[in-house]
Amino acid sequence: MKRSILLSLVLSTIFIISISFMANSNFQEIAINSPIPMPDYKMKDVSGKEISLNEAKTAKGLLVIFSCNTCPYVKLSESRIKDLSGLCATNQIGCILINSNEAQRGEEDSFDEMLKYYNGQGLKCYYSVDLKSQLANAFGATRTPQCFLFNNKGLIYKGAIDDNVKDPAAVKDAYLKNAIEALAKSGIPTTQETKSIGCTIKRLE
């Protein structure tokens, strides 16, 4: 009896993971040089304001990171995300974190939990709710953390923060930091596309 219950739980977990993977594999990620998708789409932000990507960007550009409160990969990247948000602020580049985990909005990714998380992290950027994962769909974003950096013409970098999500001390190529520094000098990064590693965005079925 216990073995049967355990087997049912395992199969249910596999089914849920499979559905989540399929749901997140139906979206086409935007290409390098693409303009910012849905630039005027308003989102509730932890600041209490309604924010659009157009309002978050500056004359230099905008960093968009699809993130959340609880993903283990986000947690491993917390200090780096904080540093990168600060690097953007120093270089007058807009920065916004987007929480598209609509299926967990009544749980760990509620607005109240986002507010607690933001204050606890001491971030220097916006952190906004993507209602019904609309912005994630438009970007073709499927994971957290997943990064998109734009200059004033279009997308110049997309993908991972760096080449070692598990150990910041072992990073050999800081993709996103290098891209931000190139943007700060009005340049184009040497590496423009990498593969992000993280949890799937929890869309509603």
Side-chain angles (χ1 to χ4, degrees), residues 99-146:
N99 189 322
S100 300
N101 278 355
E102 189 68 17
Q104 294 185 174
R105 205 63 76 200
E107 305 167 26
E108 297 97 332
D109 286 301
S110 68
F111 183 76
D112 286 344
E113 291 300 318
M114 286 174 59
L115 189 57
K116 291 177 188 176
Y117 181 84
Y118 179 86
N119 290 332
Q121 290 297 309
L123 293 163
K124 297 178 180 179
C125 60
Y126 295 106
Y127 187 24
S128 303
V129 176
D130 178 19
L131 188 64
K132 297 182 180 178
S133 310
Q134 294 177 75
L135 198 63
N137 295 349
F139 271 74
T142 57
R143 294 172 294 279
T144 55
Q146 189 169 359

Side-chain angles (χ1 to χ4, degrees), residues 55-205:
E55 292 167 327
K57 75 178 178 66
T58 66
K60 282 194 173 180
L62 176 67
L63 172 61
V64 178
I65 301 179
F66 287 88
S67 190
C68 63
N69 299 334
T70 58
C71 167
Y73 292 94
V74 169
K75 287 191 169 297
L76 286 168
S77 304
E78 284 174 341
S79 62
R80 283 169 277 190
I81 291 172
K82 180 179 179 180
D83 289 346
L84 290 164
S85 72
L87 182 62
C88 283
T90 298
N91 288 285
Q92 291 81 51
I93 297 168
C95 181
I96 185 168
L97 305 185
I98 306 293
N99 189 322
S100 300
N101 278 355
E102 189 68 17
Q104 294 185 174
R105 205 63 76 200
E107 305 167 26
E108 297 97 332
D109 286 301
S110 68
F111 183 76
D112 286 344
E113 291 300 318
M114 286 174 59
L115 189 57
K116 291 177 188 176
Y117 181 84
Y118 179 86
N119 290 332
Q121 290 297 309
L123 293 163
K124 297 178 180 179
C125 60
Y126 295 106
Y127 187 24
S128 303
V129 176
D130 178 19
L131 188 64
K132 297 182 180 178
S133 310
Q134 294 177 75
L135 198 63
N137 295 349
F139 271 74
T142 57
R143 294 172 294 279
T144 55
Q146 189 169 359
C147 311
F148 297 84
L149 181 66
F150 299 84
N151 64 11
N152 56 11
K153 294 180 180 178
L155 184 66
I156 61 169
Y157 175 77
K158 64 175 182 175
I161 291 173
D162 52 47
D163 64 355
N164 199 321
V165 66
K166 293 184 178 179
D167 184 3
V171 169
K172 294 180 181 178
D173 201 337
Y175 309 126
L176 184 54
K177 180 175 182 287
N178 294 339
I180 293 169
E181 289 177 343
L183 174 56
K185 297 175 183 177
S186 301
I188 299 296
T190 303
T191 300
Q192 289 192 272
E193 185 172 349
T194 61
K195 184 177 180 179
S196 59
I197 298 172
C199 302
T200 56
I201 289 175
K202 306 304 185 292
R203 291 171 163 90
L204 287 173
E205 294 180 22

Side-chain angles (χ1 to χ4, degrees), residues 1-17:
M1 182 68 174
K2 287 183 179 179
R3 187 174 295 177
S4 176
I5 293 171
L6 180 60
L7 179 60
S8 295
L9 287 171
V10 170
L11 290 174
S12 296
T13 301
I14 292 172
F15 175 76
I16 290 168
I17 291 172

